[in-house]
């Protein structure tokens, strides 16, 4: 089966895709994009979160063929070249990364939250948005702090414009 | 394994008739888990995410007709006023990522006793619209679920939509789990007040082989409430309602909870949702008067 789709602005045409495989497998093993992580394979952990046509999804639960003709954005598509996205910088500065395995999924889900929030999200909104992303190093406090910081940076920048 | 990609509803029905064993896939939140864990290896997948007819909802007289492909996130965002019980239940499904993807049609198709959309659909007397190349059938929701994970769908049929009367009164949903997110219900309960008909509807989840109504509880409470005066619910009425709801279930002991706990929790949820909805009913009445 052939799957043709756009990932981070670039068109990919992939042949010999097995119909039962996931979008996550397609991204990691066939497109050379290992940023999205493979952990629970059942939608519980959020470490494979990507945008599919502008909505965040667990890519382990999307059949590869369902991505045909669609647009995907992965964690590799957040930074502009060597310049980290403000959210990525905030994760580094706040110490929100320990082993780092959950980080790509958290970044995508937090990115979606900030895209859809005017001003700064409340802590309850941050917790709700990230409720499907598990961190096993128990770093949630720093993660929430990073999202708060990134939101403030974004709000400040917009106020100064 | 074949991957079938219809782009119209007519084409989807033709493909299902040609490949009755093909497994329909929408959000993939159930089926992909089976594939990832090698629990099933269907000979074909029928991808319904490109069928535009399934992705919207519309008014059909007093009914809201929700296309099978509408995800929980849209029920929450767009149907909170019209179908509050279903919206509250949708709000408890998985995580934001799961709610972006999982669909009402998929929830029905999986026919799990724990499906979160089922209790509010039972409480509101929903109908499931199923279709094949042979024609359309409209099934009352309580005739749709046959056994755990088995529905009344024929091999060549697909779920087109679910039809639900817009809320005529307060509705509530409660669910027991170990945390707020990412929880399969230990048990769940939905209550809908139908003031125009002076009756209530109930739905029980995860406490019987299929989602079920609590019929005796419906009848008892419909007759016991002071619909005209909006007077308070007597303690005795609330307690009896809880007992009848618990009695309507036939729970089992499993990894998520015991029979005894489930019955107890159902009685508690029944009393709570009654208190919440009756409070709203009385407040609403005061505003109207």
């Amino acid at each position: 089966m052939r799957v043709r789709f756009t990932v981070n602005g670039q068109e990919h045409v992939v042949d010999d895709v097995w119909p039962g495989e996931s979008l996550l497998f397609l991204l990691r093993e066939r497109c050379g994009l290992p940023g999205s992580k493979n952990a629970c394979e059942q939608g519980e952990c959020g470490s494979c979160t990507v945008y599919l046509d502008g909505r965040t999804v667990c890519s382990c639960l999307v059949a590869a063929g369902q991505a045909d003709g669609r647009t995907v954005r992965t964690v590799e598509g957040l930074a502009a070249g060597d310049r980290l996205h403000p959210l990525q910088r905030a994760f580094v500065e706040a110490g929100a990364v320990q082993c780092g395995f959950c980080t790509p999924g958290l970044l995508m889900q937090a990115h979606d939250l900030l895209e859809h929030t005017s001003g700064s999200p409340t802590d309850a909104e941050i917790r709700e948005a990230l409720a499907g992303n598990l961190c096993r190093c128990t770093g949630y406090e720093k993660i929430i702090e990073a999202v708060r910081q990134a939101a403030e940076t974004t709000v400040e920048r917009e106020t100064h414009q | 394994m074949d991957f079938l990609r219809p782009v119209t509803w007519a084409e989807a029905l033709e493909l299902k008739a040609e490949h009755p064993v093909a497994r329909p896939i929408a959000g993939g939140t159930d089926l992909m888990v089976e594939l990832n864990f090698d629990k099933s290896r269907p000979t074909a997948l029928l991808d319904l995410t490109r069928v535009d007819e399934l992705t919207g909802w519309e008014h059909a007289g007093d009914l809201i007709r929700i296309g099978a492909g509408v995800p929980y996130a849209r029920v929450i965002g767009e149907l909170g006023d019209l179908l509050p019980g279903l919206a509250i239940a949708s709000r408890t499904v998985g995580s934001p990522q799961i709610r972006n993807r999982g669909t009402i049609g998929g929830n029905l198709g999986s026919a799990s006793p724990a499906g979160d959309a089922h209790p509010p659909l039972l409480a509101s007397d929903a109908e499931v619209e199923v279709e094949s190349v042979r024609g359309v059938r409209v099934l009352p929701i309580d005739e749709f679920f046959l056994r755990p994970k088995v529905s009344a769908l024929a091999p060549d049929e697909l779920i087109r939509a679910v039809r639900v009367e817009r809320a005529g009164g307060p509705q509530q949903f409660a669910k027991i789990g170990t945390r707020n997110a990412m929880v399969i219900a230990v048990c769940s309960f939905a209550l809908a007040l139908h003031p125009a008909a002076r009756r209530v509807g109930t739905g029980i989840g995860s406490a019987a082989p299929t989602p079920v109504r609590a019929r005796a509880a419906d009848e008892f409470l419909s007759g016991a409430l002071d619909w005209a005066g909006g007077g308070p619910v007597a303690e005795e009425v609330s307690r009896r309602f809880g007992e009848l709801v618990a009695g309507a279930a036939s729970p089992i002991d499993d990894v998520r909870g015991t029979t005894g706990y489930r019955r107890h929790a159902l009685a508690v949820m029944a009393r709570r949702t009654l208190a919440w909805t009756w409070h709203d009913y009385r407040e609403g009445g005061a505003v109207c008067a």
Side-chain angles (χ1 to χ4, degrees), chain B residues 10-261:
Chain B
E11 201 186 335
L13 295 178
E14 278 163 28
L15 284 168
K16 188 65 171 135
E18 281 167 34
H19 306 264
V21 294
R23 294 281 303 272
I25 179 166
T29 54
D30 283 326
L31 182 51
M32 285 306 291
V33 178
E34 287 181 35
L35 291 178
N36 289 343
F37 285 81
D38 225 357
K39 283 184 191 154
S40 69
R41 191 56 72 84
T43 54
L45 299 180
L46 178 63
D47 176 25
L48 296 174
T49 56
R50 278 158 225 281
V51 179
D52 282 345
E53 290 101 316
L54 298 178
T55 60
W57 62 269
E58 63 196 349
H59 291 272
D62 280 344
L63 298 177
I64 312 296
R65 182 171 180 250
I66 308 170
V70 172
Y72 299 108
R74 285 189 56 199
V75 174
I76 299 162
E78 299 167 30
L79 291 170
D81 291 335
L82 296 168
L83 302 171
L86 185 62
I88 296 168
S90 298
R91 185 71 179 61
T92 73
V93 173
S95 64
Q97 293 97 312
I98 300 299
R99 296 194 289 271
N100 280 342
R101 196 78 187 144
T103 64
I104 299 295
N107 204 224
L108 287 166
S110 293
S112 160
D116 289 316
H118 306 154
L121 292 176
L122 281 162
S124 293
D125 309 300
E127 295 171 329
V128 187
E129 190 182 321
V130 304
E131 194 170 348
S132 70
V133 290
R134 296 174 292 121
V136 177
R137 289 197 299 153
V138 177
L139 303 172
I141 183 95
D142 45 3
E143 290 174 21
F144 184 77
F145 306 110
L146 300 183
R147 295 188 298 283
K149 301 193 175 177
V150 178
S151 75
L153 273 182
D156 64 344
E157 281 178 326
L158 293 170
I159 300 169
R160 171 65 183 83
V162 61
R163 304 173 184 179
V164 202
E165 202 167 311
R166 64 176 291 175
Q171 303 184 343
Q172 271 296 347
F173 173 80
K175 168 175 166 180
I176 304 281
T178 44
R179 61 179 281 229
N180 260 344
M182 304 305 311
V183 155
I184 301 176
V186 174
C187 54
S188 61
F189 181 72
L191 177 63
L193 304 189
H194 305 296
R198 296 198 170 181
R199 52 174 284 268
V200 306
T202 54
I204 294 172
S206 224
T210 65
V212 289
R213 294 172 200 269
R215 288 191 187 280
D218 292 355
E219 279 167 32
F220 164 75
L221 188 60
S222 300
L225 290 172
D226 176 16
W227 294 100
V233 179
E235 190 63 38
E236 173 56 26
V237 167
S238 177
R239 196 183 53 75
R240 183 68 189 138
F241 177 60
E243 283 170 4
L244 288 169
V245 167
S250 42
I252 53 169
D253 292 328
D254 69 10
V255 287
R256 295 203 296 278
T258 63
T259 301
Y261 177 75

Side-chain angles (χ1 to χ4, degrees), chain A residues 10-61:
Chain A
Q10 197 188 335
E11 198 188 35
H12 287 249
V13 181
V14 190
D15 284 316
D16 302 321
V17 173
W18 180 61
E21 75 190 40
S22 66
L23 170 60
L24 176 63
F25 187 90
L26 182 67
L27 290 168
R28 288 178 57 85
E29 309 298 334
R30 301 192 193 273
C31 299
L33 293 166
S36 312
K37 295 295 176 250
N38 183 20
C40 77
E41 297 188 320
Q42 53 184 317
E44 297 272 349
C45 77
S47 58
C48 66
T49 302
V50 301
Y51 281 108
L52 176 66
D53 278 357
R55 290 174 180 279
T56 54
V57 302
C58 293
S59 59
C60 74
L61 299 183

Side-chain angles (χ1 to χ4, degrees), chain A residues 117-119 152-161:
Chain A
T117 312
S118 53
E152 279 160 26
T153 316
T154 314
V155 170
E156 267 171 38
R157 211 178 40 228
E158 278 165 9
T159 324
H160 289 237
Q161 270 170 0

